[in-house]
Short mmCIF file of all heavy atoms in Angstrom, two decimals:
data_model
loop_
_atom_site.label_atom_id
_atom_site.label_comp_id
_atom_site.label_asym_id
_atom_site.label_seq_id
_atom_site.Cartn_x
_atom_site.Cartn_y
_atom_site.Cartn_z
N ARG A 1 83.48 84.54 125.53
CA ARG A 1 83.13 85.11 124.23
C ARG A 1 81.94 86.06 124.33
O ARG A 1 81.94 87.11 123.68
CB ARG A 1 82.80 84.00 123.22
CG ARG A 1 83.94 83.03 122.94
CD ARG A 1 85.14 83.73 122.31
NE ARG A 1 86.16 82.79 121.86
CZ ARG A 1 87.18 82.39 122.58
NH1 ARG A 1 87.33 82.84 123.83
NH2 ARG A 1 88.08 81.55 122.08
N THR A 2 80.94 85.70 125.11
CA THR A 2 79.70 86.49 125.17
C THR A 2 79.28 86.78 126.60
O THR A 2 78.10 87.00 126.86
CB THR A 2 78.57 85.75 124.44
OG1 THR A 2 78.37 84.46 125.04
CG2 THR A 2 78.89 85.58 122.95
N ASP A 3 80.21 86.79 127.53
CA ASP A 3 79.86 87.04 128.93
C ASP A 3 79.46 88.50 129.13
O ASP A 3 79.99 89.39 128.46
CB ASP A 3 81.05 86.70 129.83
CG ASP A 3 80.63 86.48 131.28
OD1 ASP A 3 80.39 87.49 131.98
OD2 ASP A 3 80.52 85.32 131.69
N ALA A 4 78.52 88.73 130.04
CA ALA A 4 78.09 90.11 130.33
C ALA A 4 79.21 90.92 130.96
O ALA A 4 79.20 92.15 130.89
CB ALA A 4 76.87 90.08 131.25
N ARG A 5 80.18 90.24 131.57
CA ARG A 5 81.33 90.92 132.17
C ARG A 5 82.42 91.05 131.11
O ARG A 5 83.04 90.06 130.73
CB ARG A 5 81.83 90.14 133.38
CG ARG A 5 80.83 90.07 134.52
CD ARG A 5 81.14 88.94 135.48
NE ARG A 5 80.92 87.63 134.88
CZ ARG A 5 81.07 86.47 135.52
NH1 ARG A 5 81.44 86.48 136.80
NH2 ARG A 5 80.84 85.32 134.91
N ALA A 6 82.65 92.27 130.65
CA ALA A 6 83.55 92.49 129.51
C ALA A 6 84.96 91.98 129.79
O ALA A 6 85.64 91.51 128.87
CB ALA A 6 83.59 93.98 129.18
N TYR A 7 85.41 92.04 131.04
CA TYR A 7 86.79 91.63 131.31
C TYR A 7 86.97 90.13 131.11
O TYR A 7 88.10 89.67 130.88
CB TYR A 7 87.21 92.05 132.73
CG TYR A 7 86.42 91.41 133.85
CD1 TYR A 7 86.75 90.15 134.32
CD2 TYR A 7 85.36 92.08 134.45
CE1 TYR A 7 86.04 89.56 135.35
CE2 TYR A 7 84.65 91.51 135.49
CZ TYR A 7 84.98 90.25 135.94
OH TYR A 7 84.26 89.68 136.96
N LEU A 8 85.89 89.34 131.19
CA LEU A 8 86.02 87.91 130.92
C LEU A 8 86.14 87.62 129.43
O LEU A 8 86.69 86.59 129.03
CB LEU A 8 84.84 87.13 131.51
CG LEU A 8 84.77 87.04 133.03
CD1 LEU A 8 83.62 86.15 133.47
CD2 LEU A 8 86.08 86.51 133.62
N ASN A 9 85.63 88.53 128.59
CA ASN A 9 85.75 88.37 127.14
C ASN A 9 87.04 89.05 126.67
O ASN A 9 87.03 89.86 125.75
CB ASN A 9 84.55 89.00 126.43
CG ASN A 9 83.23 88.45 126.92
OD1 ASN A 9 83.13 87.26 127.22
ND2 ASN A 9 82.23 89.29 127.01
N SER A 10 88.14 88.69 127.29
CA SER A 10 89.40 89.36 127.00
C SER A 10 90.57 88.49 127.42
O SER A 10 90.42 87.47 128.09
CB SER A 10 89.47 90.70 127.75
OG SER A 10 89.47 90.48 129.16
N VAL A 11 91.76 88.92 126.98
CA VAL A 11 93.02 88.31 127.41
C VAL A 11 93.79 89.35 128.20
O VAL A 11 93.94 90.49 127.75
CB VAL A 11 93.84 87.82 126.21
CG1 VAL A 11 95.25 87.43 126.63
CG2 VAL A 11 93.15 86.63 125.55
N TYR A 12 94.26 88.96 129.36
CA TYR A 12 95.00 89.87 130.24
C TYR A 12 96.49 89.64 130.06
O TYR A 12 96.98 88.51 130.15
CB TYR A 12 94.59 89.61 131.69
CG TYR A 12 95.38 90.39 132.71
CD1 TYR A 12 95.43 91.77 132.69
CD2 TYR A 12 96.06 89.72 133.73
CE1 TYR A 12 96.14 92.48 133.64
CE2 TYR A 12 96.77 90.41 134.70
CZ TYR A 12 96.81 91.80 134.65
OH TYR A 12 97.52 92.49 135.60
N LEU A 13 97.21 90.71 129.78
CA LEU A 13 98.67 90.65 129.64
C LEU A 13 99.31 91.53 130.69
O LEU A 13 98.91 92.69 130.87
CB LEU A 13 99.10 91.13 128.25
CG LEU A 13 98.58 90.35 127.05
CD1 LEU A 13 99.06 90.99 125.76
CD2 LEU A 13 99.01 88.89 127.11
N LYS A 14 100.28 91.00 131.37
CA LYS A 14 101.00 91.75 132.40
C LYS A 14 102.49 91.54 132.21
O LYS A 14 102.94 90.39 132.09
CB LYS A 14 100.57 91.29 133.80
CG LYS A 14 101.26 92.06 134.94
CD LYS A 14 100.78 91.54 136.29
CE LYS A 14 101.43 92.31 137.44
NZ LYS A 14 100.99 93.72 137.48
N ALA A 15 103.24 92.63 132.17
CA ALA A 15 104.69 92.56 132.05
C ALA A 15 105.32 93.10 133.32
O ALA A 15 105.04 94.24 133.72
CB ALA A 15 105.17 93.35 130.84
N LYS A 16 106.16 92.30 133.96
CA LYS A 16 106.81 92.73 135.19
C LYS A 16 108.10 91.94 135.37
O LYS A 16 108.13 90.73 135.15
CB LYS A 16 105.88 92.51 136.38
CG LYS A 16 106.39 93.11 137.68
CD LYS A 16 105.34 92.99 138.78
CE LYS A 16 105.83 93.68 140.06
NZ LYS A 16 104.82 93.61 141.14
N ASN A 17 109.15 92.64 135.77
CA ASN A 17 110.44 92.00 136.03
C ASN A 17 110.91 91.16 134.84
O ASN A 17 111.34 90.01 134.99
CB ASN A 17 110.37 91.14 137.29
CG ASN A 17 110.08 91.97 138.52
OD1 ASN A 17 110.48 93.13 138.61
ND2 ASN A 17 109.37 91.38 139.47
N ASN A 18 110.80 91.76 133.62
CA ASN A 18 111.24 91.11 132.39
C ASN A 18 110.51 89.79 132.12
O ASN A 18 111.04 88.90 131.45
CB ASN A 18 112.74 90.87 132.41
CG ASN A 18 113.52 92.17 132.30
OD1 ASN A 18 113.05 93.14 131.71
ND2 ASN A 18 114.70 92.20 132.88
N THR A 19 109.30 89.68 132.63
CA THR A 19 108.47 88.50 132.37
C THR A 19 107.10 88.95 131.90
O THR A 19 106.51 89.87 132.48
CB THR A 19 108.32 87.63 133.64
OG1 THR A 19 109.62 87.22 134.08
CG2 THR A 19 107.49 86.39 133.35
N LEU A 20 106.61 88.32 130.85
CA LEU A 20 105.28 88.61 130.33
C LEU A 20 104.33 87.49 130.73
O LEU A 20 104.61 86.32 130.49
CB LEU A 20 105.32 88.74 128.80
CG LEU A 20 103.98 88.96 128.10
CD1 LEU A 20 103.37 90.30 128.51
CD2 LEU A 20 104.14 88.89 126.58
N TYR A 21 103.21 87.87 131.34
CA TYR A 21 102.20 86.91 131.77
C TYR A 21 100.95 87.08 130.89
O TYR A 21 100.57 88.21 130.57
CB TYR A 21 101.82 87.14 133.23
CG TYR A 21 102.97 87.02 134.21
CD1 TYR A 21 103.78 88.11 134.50
CD2 TYR A 21 103.25 85.80 134.82
CE1 TYR A 21 104.84 88.00 135.39
CE2 TYR A 21 104.31 85.68 135.72
CZ TYR A 21 105.10 86.79 136.00
OH TYR A 21 106.15 86.67 136.87
N GLY A 22 100.33 85.98 130.52
CA GLY A 22 99.07 86.01 129.78
C GLY A 22 98.03 85.17 130.49
O GLY A 22 98.32 84.05 130.94
N VAL A 23 96.80 85.70 130.61
CA VAL A 23 95.73 85.00 131.33
C VAL A 23 94.44 85.13 130.54
O VAL A 23 94.11 86.20 130.01
CB VAL A 23 95.52 85.57 132.74
CG1 VAL A 23 94.36 84.86 133.44
CG2 VAL A 23 96.79 85.46 133.57
N GLY A 24 93.69 84.04 130.46
CA GLY A 24 92.35 84.06 129.90
C GLY A 24 91.44 83.19 130.75
O GLY A 24 91.86 82.11 131.20
N THR A 25 90.22 83.63 131.01
CA THR A 25 89.27 82.83 131.78
C THR A 25 87.85 83.20 131.41
O THR A 25 87.56 84.35 131.09
CB THR A 25 89.48 83.02 133.30
OG1 THR A 25 88.54 82.20 134.00
CG2 THR A 25 89.29 84.46 133.71
N ASP A 26 86.97 82.20 131.43
CA ASP A 26 85.55 82.45 131.22
C ASP A 26 84.74 82.19 132.49
O ASP A 26 83.52 82.15 132.46
CB ASP A 26 85.01 81.59 130.08
CG ASP A 26 85.17 80.08 130.34
OD1 ASP A 26 85.61 79.71 131.45
OD2 ASP A 26 84.87 79.29 129.43
N GLY A 27 85.44 82.02 133.62
CA GLY A 27 84.77 81.76 134.88
C GLY A 27 84.66 80.28 135.20
O GLY A 27 84.43 79.91 136.36
N HIS A 28 84.83 79.41 134.20
CA HIS A 28 84.77 77.96 134.41
C HIS A 28 86.13 77.31 134.24
O HIS A 28 86.34 76.20 134.74
CB HIS A 28 83.79 77.32 133.42
CG HIS A 28 82.40 77.88 133.49
ND1 HIS A 28 81.52 77.56 134.49
CD2 HIS A 28 81.76 78.76 132.68
CE1 HIS A 28 80.39 78.20 134.30
NE2 HIS A 28 80.50 78.93 133.22
N ARG A 29 87.01 77.99 133.57
CA ARG A 29 88.37 77.49 133.35
C ARG A 29 89.29 78.69 133.20
O ARG A 29 88.84 79.81 132.95
CB ARG A 29 88.44 76.61 132.09
CG ARG A 29 87.90 77.33 130.85
CD ARG A 29 87.97 76.46 129.64
NE ARG A 29 87.30 77.06 128.50
CZ ARG A 29 87.34 76.57 127.27
NH1 ARG A 29 88.05 75.49 127.02
NH2 ARG A 29 86.68 77.15 126.29
N LEU A 30 90.58 78.44 133.35
CA LEU A 30 91.57 79.52 133.30
C LEU A 30 92.84 78.99 132.67
O LEU A 30 93.24 77.84 132.91
CB LEU A 30 91.82 80.04 134.71
CG LEU A 30 92.84 81.16 134.91
CD1 LEU A 30 92.43 82.04 136.09
CD2 LEU A 30 94.25 80.61 135.19
N SER A 31 93.48 79.82 131.87
CA SER A 31 94.79 79.49 131.31
C SER A 31 95.76 80.60 131.66
O SER A 31 95.45 81.78 131.49
CB SER A 31 94.70 79.34 129.79
OG SER A 31 95.97 79.07 129.23
N ALA A 32 96.93 80.24 132.18
CA ALA A 32 97.94 81.21 132.59
C ALA A 32 99.29 80.79 132.02
O ALA A 32 99.69 79.62 132.14
CB ALA A 32 98.02 81.31 134.11
N ILE A 33 99.99 81.74 131.38
CA ILE A 33 101.26 81.47 130.71
C ILE A 33 102.24 82.58 131.05
O ILE A 33 101.83 83.73 131.28
CB ILE A 33 101.09 81.40 129.18
CG1 ILE A 33 99.91 80.50 128.80
CG2 ILE A 33 102.36 80.90 128.51
CD1 ILE A 33 98.65 81.26 128.52
N LYS A 34 103.53 82.27 131.06
CA LYS A 34 104.55 83.30 131.25
C LYS A 34 105.75 83.04 130.35
O LYS A 34 106.08 81.89 130.06
CB LYS A 34 104.99 83.38 132.72
CG LYS A 34 105.71 82.15 133.24
CD LYS A 34 106.14 82.35 134.69
CE LYS A 34 106.89 81.12 135.22
NZ LYS A 34 107.34 81.31 136.62
N HIS A 35 106.38 84.15 129.88
CA HIS A 35 107.58 84.07 129.06
C HIS A 35 108.47 85.27 129.38
O HIS A 35 107.98 86.33 129.77
CB HIS A 35 107.25 84.09 127.57
CG HIS A 35 106.73 82.78 127.05
ND1 HIS A 35 107.51 81.67 126.93
CD2 HIS A 35 105.49 82.42 126.62
CE1 HIS A 35 106.80 80.68 126.44
NE2 HIS A 35 105.56 81.11 126.25
N SER A 36 109.76 85.12 129.17
CA SER A 36 110.70 86.22 129.39
C SER A 36 110.62 87.20 128.22
O SER A 36 110.36 86.81 127.07
CB SER A 36 112.13 85.69 129.51
OG SER A 36 112.25 84.83 130.61
N ILE A 37 110.85 88.50 128.51
CA ILE A 37 110.81 89.53 127.49
C ILE A 37 111.96 90.50 127.71
O ILE A 37 112.65 90.47 128.72
CB ILE A 37 109.48 90.32 127.53
CG1 ILE A 37 109.31 90.99 128.90
CG2 ILE A 37 108.32 89.44 127.21
CD1 ILE A 37 108.14 91.94 128.97
#
């Protein structure tokens, strides 16, 4: 939420091979999800 590194205060979305990936991390924990698109 308030990290000096802007990329940590964000959600990363990647679409590849008809699959959408979502990632969030604050450096202490990480969540990764994928779904078909």
Side-chain angles (χ1 to χ4, degrees):
R1 299 298 188 268
T2 58
D3 200 282
R5 296 161 291 183
Y7 63 84
L8 290 185
N9 305 323
S10 64
V11 169
Y12 174 58
L13 299 178
K14 181 180 181 67
K16 188 173 184 179
N17 297 328
N18 291 331
T19 301
L20 176 65
Y21 301 87
V23 178
T25 181
D26 60 6
H28 303 284
R29 55 180 172 172
L30 179 148
S31 178
I33 312 98
K34 66 178 181 179
H35 283 290
S36 299
I37 60 172

